[in-house]
Amino acid sequence: MLTITPEILLEAYATGIFPMAKSEDDPELFWVFPEHRGILPLDRFHVPKRLMRTIRAERFTVSIDTAFEKVIRACAAQSTDRPTTWINQPILDLYGQLFKMGHCHSVEAWVDGELAGGLYGIRLGGAFFGESMFTYKTDASKVALTYLVARLIHGNFSLLDTQFVTDHLKRFGTIEIEREEYQARLTQALGVQGDFFSLAMDAGSDAVLQLISQTS
């Protein structure tokens, strides 16, 4: 069995491949190379009106990379909506290493100092590969996603990979494309050095929504 290192994982992402596990108890990983890929075009990101009101009200405080381990473990946890998970211990270990290397990031949404939701993913060139998200409070993960998109737009990213298309992601403009088109978009994105930290950490709701409105 091939020992997957963080370096091998990054090489896999750069070719359009990503890992999964059959279950949280499975000690092994397998590679996924879908014929159809979900992406969220940054210039077509849609913010539903109710979510926009929530963002403007600033019910949530959003941060970057301040609680990565809590976020990935929350994504791995079972819930009523998610009775099983594909995030096993090897994934927790590998992505934890990538976080320390600066290639993996988390976006956290907080309410009164308590983690309410968030997401994590891989950054490579001008591409961001969304891995998973979770929510404890209504709209928390949606707010985190909106703040992520604004950060990617500001940082000159050109690809937000969602891997698959779900009804939840369709609301925001996620589409499905053929593998060949995805590979072309990926190659283009990897030729750009996106700046994940160009947007101020304390960017407020007005700045976030303005960035999105300028491109949609």
Side-chain angles (χ1 to χ4, degrees):
M1 182 179 68
L2 173 66
T3 299
I4 300 177
T5 64
E7 291 76 16
I8 289 175
L9 194 53
L10 290 177
E11 290 178 7
Y13 275 98
T15 59
I17 303 172
F18 58 89
M20 293 187 73
K22 291 182 179 179
S23 71
E24 62 178 324
D25 298 323
D26 187 351
E28 298 183 5
L29 300 176
F30 63 90
W31 295 114
V32 182
F33 191 33
E35 291 186 12
H36 302 90
R37 195 70 164 246
I39 65 165
L40 209 173
L42 297 173
D43 59 353
R44 281 188 267 169
F45 182 71
H46 172 67
V47 183
K49 290 182 179 179
R50 188 178 67 80
L51 178 60
M52 189 175 295
R53 290 195 296 270
T54 297
I55 292 172
R56 290 194 186 282
E58 298 191 340
R59 288 174 44 210
F60 298 95
T61 300
V62 180
S63 61
I64 304 293
D65 291 349
T66 64
F68 176 80
E69 186 171 354
K70 287 184 178 181
V71 168
I72 192 171
R73 289 193 176 278
C75 288
Q78 296 181 0
S79 66
T80 303
D81 296 331
R82 185 168 49 194
T84 60
T85 178
W86 53 269
I87 301 176
N88 62 1
Q89 191 59 50
I91 286 179
L92 292 173
D93 294 339
L94 279 167
Y95 288 79
Q97 293 177 63
L98 286 174
F99 174 72
K100 293 177 181 178
M101 294 166 62
H103 285 289
C104 201
H105 300 284
S106 59
V107 183
E108 306 97 12
W110 307 81
V111 174
D112 298 328
E114 297 291 330
L115 187 61
L119 58 86
Y120 77 96
I122 298 289
R123 170 178 59 87
L124 202 58
F128 190 91
F129 307 87
E131 287 297 315
S132 187
M133 61 174 60
F134 79 98
T135 189
Y136 292 148
K137 291 187 178 295
T138 302
D139 290 338
S141 63
K142 298 175 185 177
V143 170
L145 176 61
T146 304
Y147 272 69
L148 170 67
V149 169
R151 181 165 295 277
L152 298 181
I153 291 171
H154 194 275
N156 198 34
F157 284 74
S158 61
L159 177 64
L160 173 50
D161 178 1
T162 66
Q163 298 177 348
F164 304 107
V165 177
T166 65
D167 290 338
H168 174 71
L169 290 173
K170 281 182 180 179
R171 302 176 192 172
F172 300 95
T174 297
I175 61 173
E176 188 175 75
I177 59 176
E178 300 286 340
R179 180 190 291 171
E180 184 176 348
E181 181 181 351
Y182 173 80
Q183 293 297 111
R185 289 176 181 247
L186 176 60
T187 298
Q188 182 181 30
L190 294 178
V192 176
Q193 189 54 54
D195 186 350
F196 192 74
F197 299 102
S198 66
L199 182 63
M201 289 292 189
D202 60 351
S205 59
D206 287 343
V208 165
L209 293 174
Q210 183 176 14
L211 278 166
I212 291 171
S213 66
Q214 288 174 349
T215 58
S216 59

Short mmCIF file of all heavy atoms in Angstrom, two decimals, residues 114-174:
data_model
loop_
_atom_site.label_atom_id
_atom_site.label_comp_id
_atom_site.label_asym_id
_atom_site.label_seq_id
_atom_site.Cartn_x
_atom_site.Cartn_y
_atom_site.Cartn_z
N GLU A 114 -18.31 31.13 20.81
CA GLU A 114 -18.49 29.70 20.58
C GLU A 114 -18.48 29.40 19.09
O GLU A 114 -19.10 30.11 18.30
CB GLU A 114 -19.81 29.22 21.19
CG GLU A 114 -19.90 29.37 22.70
CD GLU A 114 -18.95 28.44 23.43
OE1 GLU A 114 -18.68 27.34 22.91
OE2 GLU A 114 -18.50 28.80 24.55
N LEU A 115 -17.78 28.33 18.71
CA LEU A 115 -17.72 27.94 17.31
C LEU A 115 -19.09 27.49 16.84
O LEU A 115 -19.68 26.56 17.40
CB LEU A 115 -16.70 26.82 17.13
CG LEU A 115 -16.38 26.39 15.70
CD1 LEU A 115 -15.79 27.56 14.90
CD2 LEU A 115 -15.41 25.21 15.70
N ALA A 116 -19.61 28.15 15.80
CA ALA A 116 -20.97 27.87 15.32
C ALA A 116 -20.99 27.13 14.00
O ALA A 116 -22.00 26.54 13.64
CB ALA A 116 -21.74 29.19 15.18
N GLY A 117 -19.90 27.18 13.25
CA GLY A 117 -19.84 26.52 11.96
C GLY A 117 -18.54 26.87 11.26
O GLY A 117 -17.79 27.73 11.71
N GLY A 118 -18.30 26.21 10.14
CA GLY A 118 -17.08 26.51 9.41
C GLY A 118 -16.82 25.54 8.28
O GLY A 118 -17.65 24.67 7.98
N LEU A 119 -15.66 25.67 7.69
CA LEU A 119 -15.26 24.82 6.57
C LEU A 119 -13.74 24.77 6.51
O LEU A 119 -13.05 25.57 7.14
CB LEU A 119 -15.84 25.35 5.26
CG LEU A 119 -15.48 26.78 4.85
CD1 LEU A 119 -14.15 26.86 4.08
CD2 LEU A 119 -16.58 27.40 4.00
N TYR A 120 -13.24 23.81 5.72
CA TYR A 120 -11.78 23.77 5.49
C TYR A 120 -11.51 23.29 4.07
O TYR A 120 -12.38 22.69 3.42
CB TYR A 120 -11.08 22.86 6.52
CG TYR A 120 -11.23 21.38 6.25
CD1 TYR A 120 -10.24 20.67 5.57
CD2 TYR A 120 -12.36 20.67 6.67
CE1 TYR A 120 -10.36 19.31 5.34
CE2 TYR A 120 -12.49 19.32 6.43
CZ TYR A 120 -11.48 18.64 5.77
OH TYR A 120 -11.61 17.29 5.52
N GLY A 121 -10.31 23.58 3.60
CA GLY A 121 -9.94 23.16 2.26
C GLY A 121 -8.47 23.40 1.98
O GLY A 121 -7.74 23.94 2.81
N ILE A 122 -8.05 22.99 0.79
CA ILE A 122 -6.66 23.06 0.35
C ILE A 122 -6.46 24.24 -0.58
O ILE A 122 -7.29 24.50 -1.46
CB ILE A 122 -6.26 21.78 -0.39
CG1 ILE A 122 -6.37 20.56 0.54
CG2 ILE A 122 -4.85 21.89 -0.97
CD1 ILE A 122 -5.33 20.50 1.61
N ARG A 123 -5.35 24.95 -0.40
CA ARG A 123 -4.98 26.06 -1.30
C ARG A 123 -3.76 25.65 -2.10
O ARG A 123 -2.76 25.20 -1.56
CB ARG A 123 -4.67 27.31 -0.49
CG ARG A 123 -4.05 28.44 -1.31
CD ARG A 123 -3.80 29.66 -0.44
NE ARG A 123 -2.92 29.38 0.68
CZ ARG A 123 -1.58 29.46 0.62
NH1 ARG A 123 -0.99 29.77 -0.52
NH2 ARG A 123 -0.86 29.23 1.69
N LEU A 124 -3.85 25.84 -3.42
CA LEU A 124 -2.73 25.52 -4.29
C LEU A 124 -2.78 26.47 -5.49
O LEU A 124 -3.73 26.43 -6.28
CB LEU A 124 -2.83 24.06 -4.77
CG LEU A 124 -1.58 23.34 -5.25
CD1 LEU A 124 -0.50 23.32 -4.17
CD2 LEU A 124 -1.92 21.92 -5.67
N GLY A 125 -1.78 27.34 -5.62
CA GLY A 125 -1.78 28.32 -6.70
C GLY A 125 -2.98 29.24 -6.57
O GLY A 125 -3.23 29.84 -5.54
N GLY A 126 -3.76 29.30 -7.65
CA GLY A 126 -4.98 30.11 -7.64
C GLY A 126 -6.22 29.26 -7.52
O GLY A 126 -7.31 29.65 -7.95
N ALA A 127 -6.06 28.07 -6.94
CA ALA A 127 -7.19 27.15 -6.76
C ALA A 127 -7.41 26.88 -5.27
O ALA A 127 -6.46 26.79 -4.50
CB ALA A 127 -6.93 25.83 -7.49
N PHE A 128 -8.68 26.76 -4.91
CA PHE A 128 -9.02 26.35 -3.54
C PHE A 128 -9.94 25.15 -3.65
O PHE A 128 -10.95 25.18 -4.36
CB PHE A 128 -9.73 27.47 -2.79
CG PHE A 128 -9.89 27.19 -1.31
CD1 PHE A 128 -8.92 27.60 -0.42
CD2 PHE A 128 -10.99 26.50 -0.84
CE1 PHE A 128 -9.04 27.32 0.94
CE2 PHE A 128 -11.13 26.22 0.51
CZ PHE A 128 -10.14 26.64 1.41
N PHE A 129 -9.56 24.07 -2.97
CA PHE A 129 -10.30 22.82 -3.03
C PHE A 129 -11.09 22.66 -1.73
O PHE A 129 -10.52 22.33 -0.69
CB PHE A 129 -9.35 21.64 -3.22
CG PHE A 129 -8.41 21.80 -4.38
CD1 PHE A 129 -7.19 22.47 -4.23
CD2 PHE A 129 -8.74 21.30 -5.64
CE1 PHE A 129 -6.32 22.61 -5.30
CE2 PHE A 129 -7.87 21.45 -6.71
CZ PHE A 129 -6.66 22.11 -6.55
N GLY A 130 -12.39 22.94 -1.79
CA GLY A 130 -13.22 22.83 -0.61
C GLY A 130 -13.40 21.37 -0.22
O GLY A 130 -13.75 20.54 -1.07
N GLU A 131 -13.17 21.05 1.03
CA GLU A 131 -13.24 19.67 1.49
C GLU A 131 -14.53 19.34 2.23
O GLU A 131 -15.22 18.39 1.91
CB GLU A 131 -12.03 19.36 2.38
CG GLU A 131 -10.73 19.23 1.63
CD GLU A 131 -10.76 18.07 0.64
OE1 GLU A 131 -11.22 16.97 1.01
OE2 GLU A 131 -10.36 18.27 -0.51
N SER A 132 -14.84 20.11 3.24
CA SER A 132 -16.04 19.81 4.02
C SER A 132 -16.45 21.04 4.82
O SER A 132 -15.62 21.93 5.06
CB SER A 132 -15.78 18.63 4.95
OG SER A 132 -16.97 18.21 5.59
N MET A 133 -17.71 21.06 5.24
CA MET A 133 -18.19 22.14 6.10
C MET A 133 -19.15 21.57 7.13
O MET A 133 -19.64 20.44 6.98
CB MET A 133 -18.87 23.23 5.27
CG MET A 133 -20.07 22.79 4.48
SD MET A 133 -20.93 24.17 3.66
CE MET A 133 -19.65 24.81 2.60
N PHE A 134 -19.40 22.32 8.16
CA PHE A 134 -20.32 21.88 9.20
C PHE A 134 -21.03 23.10 9.77
O PHE A 134 -20.58 24.24 9.60
CB PHE A 134 -19.57 21.16 10.33
CG PHE A 134 -18.88 22.10 11.28
CD1 PHE A 134 -19.47 22.45 12.49
CD2 PHE A 134 -17.66 22.68 10.95
CE1 PHE A 134 -18.85 23.35 13.35
CE2 PHE A 134 -17.03 23.57 11.80
CZ PHE A 134 -17.64 23.91 13.01
N THR A 135 -22.12 22.86 10.47
CA THR A 135 -22.81 23.96 11.13
C THR A 135 -23.47 23.48 12.41
O THR A 135 -24.04 22.39 12.46
CB THR A 135 -23.85 24.61 10.19
OG1 THR A 135 -24.35 25.81 10.77
CG2 THR A 135 -25.01 23.66 9.90
N TYR A 136 -23.33 24.29 13.45
CA TYR A 136 -24.04 24.05 14.70
C TYR A 136 -25.24 24.98 14.83
O TYR A 136 -26.20 24.66 15.51
CB TYR A 136 -23.12 24.28 15.90
CG TYR A 136 -21.99 23.28 16.05
CD1 TYR A 136 -20.77 23.66 16.59
CD2 TYR A 136 -22.16 21.94 15.67
CE1 TYR A 136 -19.74 22.75 16.75
CE2 TYR A 136 -21.12 21.03 15.82
CZ TYR A 136 -19.92 21.44 16.36
OH TYR A 136 -18.90 20.53 16.51
N LYS A 137 -25.14 26.15 14.18
CA LYS A 137 -26.21 27.13 14.22
C LYS A 137 -26.62 27.49 12.79
O LYS A 137 -25.78 27.53 11.88
CB LYS A 137 -25.76 28.40 14.97
CG LYS A 137 -25.56 28.17 16.47
CD LYS A 137 -25.28 29.47 17.19
CE LYS A 137 -25.12 29.26 18.69
NZ LYS A 137 -26.37 28.79 19.32
N THR A 138 -27.89 27.76 12.60
CA THR A 138 -28.42 28.07 11.28
C THR A 138 -27.61 29.16 10.58
O THR A 138 -27.32 30.20 11.18
CB THR A 138 -29.89 28.54 11.39
OG1 THR A 138 -30.65 27.50 12.01
CG2 THR A 138 -30.47 28.85 10.03
N ASP A 139 -27.21 28.88 9.34
CA ASP A 139 -26.50 29.82 8.46
C ASP A 139 -25.01 29.96 8.75
O ASP A 139 -24.31 30.65 8.00
CB ASP A 139 -27.14 31.22 8.49
CG ASP A 139 -28.49 31.26 7.81
OD1 ASP A 139 -28.76 30.38 6.98
OD2 ASP A 139 -29.27 32.18 8.11
N ALA A 140 -24.50 29.33 9.80
CA ALA A 140 -23.09 29.53 10.15
C ALA A 140 -22.14 29.10 9.03
O ALA A 140 -21.22 29.83 8.65
CB ALA A 140 -22.76 28.79 11.45
N SER A 141 -22.35 27.91 8.47
CA SER A 141 -21.46 27.45 7.41
C SER A 141 -21.66 28.25 6.13
O SER A 141 -20.73 28.47 5.36
CB SER A 141 -21.68 25.96 7.13
OG SER A 141 -22.99 25.72 6.66
N LYS A 142 -22.90 28.73 5.90
CA LYS A 142 -23.17 29.55 4.72
C LYS A 142 -22.44 30.89 4.80
O LYS A 142 -21.91 31.39 3.80
CB LYS A 142 -24.67 29.78 4.58
CG LYS A 142 -25.48 28.51 4.37
CD LYS A 142 -26.98 28.81 4.37
CE LYS A 142 -27.80 27.55 4.29
NZ LYS A 142 -29.25 27.83 4.36
N VAL A 143 -22.41 31.45 6.00
CA VAL A 143 -21.66 32.70 6.20
C VAL A 143 -20.18 32.46 5.98
O VAL A 143 -19.49 33.24 5.32
CB VAL A 143 -21.92 33.26 7.61
CG1 VAL A 143 -20.98 34.42 7.91
CG2 VAL A 143 -23.38 33.71 7.74
N ALA A 144 -19.67 31.35 6.51
CA ALA A 144 -18.25 31.01 6.31
C ALA A 144 -17.93 30.87 4.83
O ALA A 144 -16.88 31.34 4.36
CB ALA A 144 -17.92 29.73 7.07
N LEU A 145 -18.82 30.22 4.08
CA LEU A 145 -18.61 30.05 2.64
C LEU A 145 -18.58 31.40 1.93
O LEU A 145 -17.75 31.64 1.06
CB LEU A 145 -19.70 29.16 2.06
CG LEU A 145 -19.67 28.97 0.53
CD1 LEU A 145 -18.37 28.30 0.10
CD2 LEU A 145 -20.89 28.14 0.08
N THR A 146 -19.49 32.29 2.29
CA THR A 146 -19.54 33.60 1.66
C THR A 146 -18.26 34.38 1.93
O THR A 146 -17.70 35.02 1.01
CB THR A 146 -20.75 34.39 2.19
OG1 THR A 146 -21.95 33.64 1.95
CG2 THR A 146 -20.87 35.74 1.49
N TYR A 147 -17.77 34.33 3.14
CA TYR A 147 -16.52 35.02 3.48
C TYR A 147 -15.34 34.39 2.74
O TYR A 147 -14.41 35.09 2.34
CB TYR A 147 -16.29 35.00 4.99
CG TYR A 147 -16.92 36.16 5.72
CD1 TYR A 147 -18.30 36.27 5.83
CD2 TYR A 147 -16.14 37.17 6.30
CE1 TYR A 147 -18.90 37.34 6.49
CE2 TYR A 147 -16.72 38.23 6.96
CZ TYR A 147 -18.10 38.32 7.06
OH TYR A 147 -18.67 39.39 7.71
N LEU A 148 -15.36 33.07 2.57
CA LEU A 148 -14.31 32.40 1.80
C LEU A 148 -14.31 32.90 0.37
O LEU A 148 -13.25 33.23 -0.18
CB LEU A 148 -14.52 30.89 1.82
CG LEU A 148 -13.62 30.10 0.84
CD1 LEU A 148 -12.16 30.20 1.26
CD2 LEU A 148 -14.07 28.65 0.74
N VAL A 149 -15.48 32.95 -0.26
CA VAL A 149 -15.56 33.39 -1.66
C VAL A 149 -15.02 34.81 -1.81
O VAL A 149 -14.26 35.10 -2.75
CB VAL A 149 -17.01 33.29 -2.17
CG1 VAL A 149 -17.17 34.00 -3.51
CG2 VAL A 149 -17.42 31.83 -2.29
N ALA A 150 -15.38 35.69 -0.90
CA ALA A 150 -14.87 37.07 -0.96
C ALA A 150 -13.36 37.08 -0.86
O ALA A 150 -12.67 37.83 -1.57
CB ALA A 150 -15.49 37.91 0.16
N ARG A 151 -12.81 36.25 0.00
CA ARG A 151 -11.35 36.17 0.18
C ARG A 151 -10.67 35.67 -1.09
O ARG A 151 -9.61 36.16 -1.49
CB ARG A 151 -11.03 35.27 1.37
CG ARG A 151 -9.54 35.11 1.69
CD ARG A 151 -9.34 34.53 3.06
NE ARG A 151 -9.84 35.46 4.08
CZ ARG A 151 -9.13 36.49 4.55
NH1 ARG A 151 -7.88 36.70 4.11
NH2 ARG A 151 -9.64 37.30 5.45
N LEU A 152 -11.28 34.68 -1.73
CA LEU A 152 -10.71 34.14 -2.97
C LEU A 152 -10.77 35.16 -4.09
O LEU A 152 -9.83 35.29 -4.89
CB LEU A 152 -11.45 32.85 -3.36
CG LEU A 152 -11.36 31.69 -2.36
CD1 LEU A 152 -12.12 30.48 -2.89
CD2 LEU A 152 -9.92 31.32 -2.07
N ILE A 153 -11.87 35.88 -4.19
CA ILE A 153 -12.00 36.92 -5.21
C ILE A 153 -10.93 37.99 -5.01
O ILE A 153 -10.23 38.39 -5.96
CB ILE A 153 -13.41 37.55 -5.18
CG1 ILE A 153 -14.46 36.54 -5.65
CG2 ILE A 153 -13.47 38.80 -6.05
CD1 ILE A 153 -15.89 36.99 -5.44
N HIS A 154 -10.80 38.46 -3.79
CA HIS A 154 -9.82 39.51 -3.48
C HIS A 154 -8.39 39.03 -3.73
O HIS A 154 -7.53 39.81 -4.15
CB HIS A 154 -9.98 39.95 -2.03
CG HIS A 154 -9.28 41.22 -1.68
ND1 HIS A 154 -7.94 41.26 -1.32
CD2 HIS A 154 -9.71 42.51 -1.65
CE1 HIS A 154 -7.59 42.51 -1.07
NE2 HIS A 154 -8.64 43.29 -1.28
N GLY A 155 -8.16 37.74 -3.51
CA GLY A 155 -6.81 37.19 -3.65
C GLY A 155 -6.48 36.68 -5.03
O GLY A 155 -5.46 36.01 -5.23
N ASN A 156 -7.35 36.96 -6.03
CA ASN A 156 -7.09 36.62 -7.42
C ASN A 156 -7.12 35.11 -7.68
O ASN A 156 -6.41 34.61 -8.56
CB ASN A 156 -5.75 37.19 -7.90
CG ASN A 156 -5.64 37.25 -9.41
OD1 ASN A 156 -6.62 37.48 -10.11
ND2 ASN A 156 -4.44 37.02 -9.94
N PHE A 157 -7.93 34.38 -6.94
CA PHE A 157 -8.12 32.96 -7.23
C PHE A 157 -9.10 32.83 -8.40
O PHE A 157 -9.93 33.70 -8.63
CB PHE A 157 -8.70 32.25 -6.00
CG PHE A 157 -7.71 32.00 -4.92
CD1 PHE A 157 -7.26 33.04 -4.11
CD2 PHE A 157 -7.20 30.72 -4.69
CE1 PHE A 157 -6.33 32.82 -3.10
CE2 PHE A 157 -6.28 30.49 -3.68
CZ PHE A 157 -5.84 31.54 -2.88
N SER A 158 -9.00 31.72 -9.13
CA SER A 158 -9.89 31.54 -10.27
C SER A 158 -10.69 30.24 -10.19
O SER A 158 -11.56 30.01 -11.04
CB SER A 158 -9.09 31.56 -11.58
OG SER A 158 -8.15 30.50 -11.61
N LEU A 159 -10.40 29.37 -9.21
CA LEU A 159 -11.11 28.10 -9.14
C LEU A 159 -11.46 27.77 -7.70
O LEU A 159 -10.60 27.75 -6.81
CB LEU A 159 -10.23 26.97 -9.70
CG LEU A 159 -10.80 25.55 -9.62
CD1 LEU A 159 -12.06 25.43 -10.47
CD2 LEU A 159 -9.76 24.52 -10.04
N LEU A 160 -12.76 27.51 -7.46
CA LEU A 160 -13.23 26.98 -6.19
C LEU A 160 -13.86 25.63 -6.48
O LEU A 160 -14.94 25.52 -7.04
CB LEU A 160 -14.24 27.92 -5.53
CG LEU A 160 -14.93 27.40 -4.25
CD1 LEU A 160 -13.91 26.86 -3.25
CD2 LEU A 160 -15.78 28.49 -3.62
N ASP A 161 -13.13 24.59 -6.14
CA ASP A 161 -13.53 23.20 -6.41
C ASP A 161 -14.39 22.70 -5.25
O ASP A 161 -13.95 22.71 -4.10
CB ASP A 161 -12.25 22.37 -6.55
CG ASP A 161 -12.52 20.90 -6.78
OD1 ASP A 161 -13.69 20.50 -6.86
OD2 ASP A 161 -11.53 20.14 -6.88
N THR A 162 -15.61 22.25 -5.55
CA THR A 162 -16.48 21.68 -4.51
C THR A 162 -16.51 20.15 -4.61
O THR A 162 -17.23 19.51 -3.84
CB THR A 162 -17.91 22.21 -4.62
OG1 THR A 162 -18.50 21.76 -5.84
CG2 THR A 162 -17.93 23.74 -4.57
N GLN A 163 -15.77 19.59 -5.55
CA GLN A 163 -15.69 18.14 -5.78
C GLN A 163 -16.99 17.59 -6.35
O GLN A 163 -17.02 17.06 -7.45
CB GLN A 163 -15.28 17.38 -4.52
CG GLN A 163 -13.90 17.78 -4.01
CD GLN A 163 -13.52 17.08 -2.73
OE1 GLN A 163 -14.34 16.45 -2.06
NE2 GLN A 163 -12.26 17.19 -2.35
N PHE A 164 -18.07 17.70 -5.60
CA PHE A 164 -19.37 17.21 -6.05
C PHE A 164 -20.40 18.33 -6.01
O PHE A 164 -20.15 19.39 -5.44
CB PHE A 164 -19.83 16.03 -5.18
CG PHE A 164 -18.83 14.91 -5.12
CD1 PHE A 164 -18.07 14.68 -3.98
CD2 PHE A 164 -18.64 14.08 -6.22
CE1 PHE A 164 -17.14 13.65 -3.93
CE2 PHE A 164 -17.71 13.05 -6.18
CZ PHE A 164 -16.96 12.83 -5.03
N VAL A 165 -21.56 18.08 -6.59
CA VAL A 165 -22.65 19.05 -6.57
C VAL A 165 -23.75 18.51 -5.65
O VAL A 165 -24.19 17.37 -5.80
CB VAL A 165 -23.23 19.28 -7.98
CG1 VAL A 165 -24.41 20.24 -7.92
CG2 VAL A 165 -22.15 19.82 -8.91
N THR A 166 -24.17 19.33 -4.71
CA THR A 166 -25.28 18.97 -3.82
C THR A 166 -26.37 20.02 -3.96
O THR A 166 -26.13 21.13 -4.47
CB THR A 166 -24.82 18.91 -2.35
OG1 THR A 166 -24.43 20.24 -1.94
CG2 THR A 166 -23.65 17.96 -2.18
N ASP A 167 -27.56 19.68 -3.51
CA ASP A 167 -28.66 20.65 -3.56
C ASP A 167 -28.30 21.89 -2.74
O ASP A 167 -28.66 23.02 -3.11
CB ASP A 167 -29.95 20.02 -3.01
CG ASP A 167 -30.52 18.96 -3.95
OD1 ASP A 167 -30.18 19.01 -5.16
OD2 ASP A 167 -31.29 18.10 -3.50
N HIS A 168 -27.61 21.67 -1.63
CA HIS A 168 -27.20 22.79 -0.78
C HIS A 168 -26.28 23.75 -1.55
O HIS A 168 -26.47 24.97 -1.52
CB HIS A 168 -26.49 22.24 0.45
CG HIS A 168 -25.89 23.30 1.33
ND1 HIS A 168 -26.66 24.15 2.10
CD2 HIS A 168 -24.60 23.64 1.56
CE1 HIS A 168 -25.88 24.97 2.78
NE2 HIS A 168 -24.62 24.69 2.45
N LEU A 169 -25.30 23.19 -2.25
CA LEU A 169 -24.34 24.03 -2.98
C LEU A 169 -24.94 24.65 -4.23
O LEU A 169 -24.48 25.71 -4.68
CB LEU A 169 -23.10 23.20 -3.33
CG LEU A 169 -22.21 22.81 -2.15
CD1 LEU A 169 -21.11 21.85 -2.60
CD2 LEU A 169 -21.58 24.06 -1.51
N LYS A 170 -25.95 24.01 -4.80
CA LYS A 170 -26.59 24.57 -6.00
C LYS A 170 -27.18 25.95 -5.71
O LYS A 170 -27.23 26.79 -6.60
CB LYS A 170 -27.69 23.64 -6.49
CG LYS A 170 -27.20 22.44 -7.29
CD LYS A 170 -28.39 21.62 -7.77
CE LYS A 170 -27.95 20.42 -8.58
NZ LYS A 170 -29.13 19.62 -9.02
N ARG A 171 -27.63 26.17 -4.50
CA ARG A 171 -28.23 27.45 -4.13
C ARG A 171 -27.26 28.61 -4.32
O ARG A 171 -27.66 29.75 -4.51
CB ARG A 171 -28.69 27.43 -2.68
CG ARG A 171 -29.69 26.35 -2.34
CD ARG A 171 -29.98 26.37 -0.85
NE ARG A 171 -30.71 25.19 -0.41
CZ ARG A 171 -30.94 24.91 0.86
NH1 ARG A 171 -30.52 25.73 1.80
NH2 ARG A 171 -31.59 23.81 1.20
N PHE A 172 -25.98 28.30 -4.24
CA PHE A 172 -24.96 29.35 -4.33
C PHE A 172 -24.36 29.47 -5.73
O PHE A 172 -23.52 30.33 -5.96
CB PHE A 172 -23.85 29.08 -3.32
CG PHE A 172 -24.33 29.05 -1.90
CD1 PHE A 172 -24.66 27.87 -1.28
CD2 PHE A 172 -24.50 30.24 -1.20
CE1 PHE A 172 -25.13 27.85 0.02
CE2 PHE A 172 -24.97 30.23 0.10
CZ PHE A 172 -25.29 29.03 0.71
N GLY A 173 -24.79 28.62 -6.64
CA GLY A 173 -24.31 28.71 -8.01
C GLY A 173 -23.37 27.61 -8.44
O GLY A 173 -22.78 27.69 -9.53
N THR A 174 -23.23 26.57 -7.64
CA THR A 174 -22.34 25.46 -8.00
C THR A 174 -22.86 24.77 -9.26
O THR A 174 -24.06 24.53 -9.41
CB THR A 174 -22.25 24.45 -6.85
OG1 THR A 174 -21.67 25.09 -5.72
CG2 THR A 174 -21.39 23.26 -7.23
#
